[in-house]
Amino acid sequence: MKYYAASSFRNISNVRLLTSALNEKGFTQTYDWTKNQHAATIKDLADIGEKEKQAVQDSDFLVVLSPAGKGSHIELGIALGQGKPIYLHSENNDILDFETTSTFYHLDGVKMFVGELPAFIDFILSEQDISNY
C-alpha cells in the first residue's frame, strides 16, 4: 500500500514522524520531499513539482498535515481528481473553522482528523489495513 505525505517545510518533523510510523507498518512512501533543499531556481521547482505530482499519482492514498503549504493543496487537488482517499490532519480546529477551512476539505473522500499526531496515525492504520494487500 503506497501513500504520499503532503505538508509544508515548517512541518517536516511531524511529516517524518508520520512517515516513519507508516513505513514501520509496511506502507511505502512514494516520494520523500523532506530530503529536498529549498529550490533555488525555476528548474528546481519544476523538477520537484514533477516528482511530487508523480508521487501523488502513484499513491493509493494521500495524507495532508496542517499547516500545509500551497503545493500541498495542489497535491490534494490531484488526489481528489483521481478519487484517492485523503487523510487531513490538524492539531487544532483550523480545518473545521469556517474562516480558515477550505471548501475542498469537506468533499467526499476527505477524512478530517483534529487531534494529536499519534492518534491520527492510529486512525490511518485502522482505515488502511495493509494486511488486505
Side-chain angles (χ1 to χ4, degrees):
M1 175 123 278
K2 298 180 290 186
Y3 72 94
Y4 180 76
S7 193
S8 65
F9 267 105
R10 61 188 165 170
N11 213 11
I12 282 179
S13 61
N14 280 341
V15 172
R16 288 181 176 159
L17 287 171
L18 168 87
T19 59
S20 177
L22 293 180
N23 293 345
E24 285 177 13
K25 294 294 185 180
F27 291 87
T28 302
Q29 185 178 10
T30 56
Y31 179 67
D32 185 358
W33 58 267
T34 68
K35 295 178 181 177
N36 294 342
Q37 298 296 318
H38 283 284
T41 67
I42 296 295
K43 182 181 179 331
D44 292 345
L45 285 175
D47 290 343
I48 292 167
E50 196 58 47
K51 289 174 184 170
E52 291 177 348
K53 179 182 91 168
Q54 190 62 52
V56 174
Q57 291 173 331
D58 291 344
S59 68
D60 296 307
F61 64 95
L62 176 75
V63 181
V64 180
L65 299 182
S66 178
K70 60 187 173 194
S72 300
H73 288 92
I74 293 167
E75 293 157 349
L76 183 138
I78 294 167
L80 280 170
Q82 293 186 320
K84 295 181 185 288
I86 299 165
Y87 297 92
L88 175 62
H89 172 261
S90 179
E91 290 188 346
N92 59 51
N93 220 24
D94 61 334
I95 62 175
L96 298 174
D97 183 326
F98 188 77
E99 298 299 320
T100 56
T101 195
S102 167
T103 56
F104 296 99
Y105 294 173
H106 302 275
L107 296 178
D108 288 340
V110 178
K111 297 182 181 192
M112 292 185 281
F113 187 96
V114 175
E116 294 188 12
L117 186 60
F120 177 61
I121 293 167
D122 289 342
F123 174 68
I124 294 171
L125 293 172
S126 72
E127 293 267 318
Q128 296 291 327
D129 183 3
I130 197 158
S131 65
N132 292 330
Y133 294 92

